[in-house]
Amino acid sequence: MLVAALIGWSVMQTQAAAAPRPTPPTYAEALRCSGLTQAASELEGGESDEGQALYDAALYWSLTTIQSGQAARRPTATVEAEMTRSRVQAVRELTARNEAALTALRACRARTPSLG
């Protein structure tokens, strides 16, 4: 019985290791998602379930952007300034109901893991 459990565990570990992992976003992708989700969160407010979900997405993408920037050896001040510019642009686009921005926001939200 123990041997069967160990074999089963070993097979699961091998399958998990062989399973394709999602490709991490590029810095540009993370930056765009950060700007869009931050803007959408600001525009929605945090009182509703949607507002909370947007806040969580904004948090995830902001941290992802910072990590991507660090991996690319971008200065922290540069990353922060680019995130601010991305958010300001996204506020304009979302306020104008820009279809490309709304589509990109949906894609970013689909890539956001559940923060539970």
Side-chain angles (χ1 to χ4, degrees):
M1 186 100 117
L2 179 60
V3 171
L6 288 173
I7 291 171
W9 180 82
S10 176
V11 168
M12 288 189 325
Q13 293 300 313
T14 302
Q15 289 172 342
R21 295 177 190 235
T23 305
T26 65
Y27 176 75
E29 292 169 332
L31 181 63
R32 178 68 169 149
C33 286
S34 174
L36 286 166
T37 55
Q38 285 180 33
S41 177
E42 288 176 19
L43 293 170
E44 176 68 26
E47 296 78 33
S48 66
D49 288 343
E50 177 70 6
Q52 186 59 52
L54 286 165
Y55 176 85
D56 288 350
L59 177 62
Y60 169 78
W61 285 108
S62 295
L63 294 173
T64 300
T65 302
I66 291 167
Q67 288 178 335
S68 295
Q70 289 172 340
R73 300 194 184 280
R74 297 177 84 84
T76 301
T78 300
V79 173
E80 290 174 355
E82 290 174 340
M83 286 173 59
T84 298
R85 282 193 295 275
S86 180
R87 178 184 50 78
V88 168
Q89 180 62 36
V91 166
R92 290 183 190 126
E93 292 171 336
L94 295 176
T95 300
R97 308 294 297 161
N98 177 294
E99 193 57 42
L102 293 168
T103 299
L105 175 61
R106 284 189 291 274
C108 293
R109 294 206 46 207
R111 292 180 69 187
T112 304
S114 173
L115 301 182

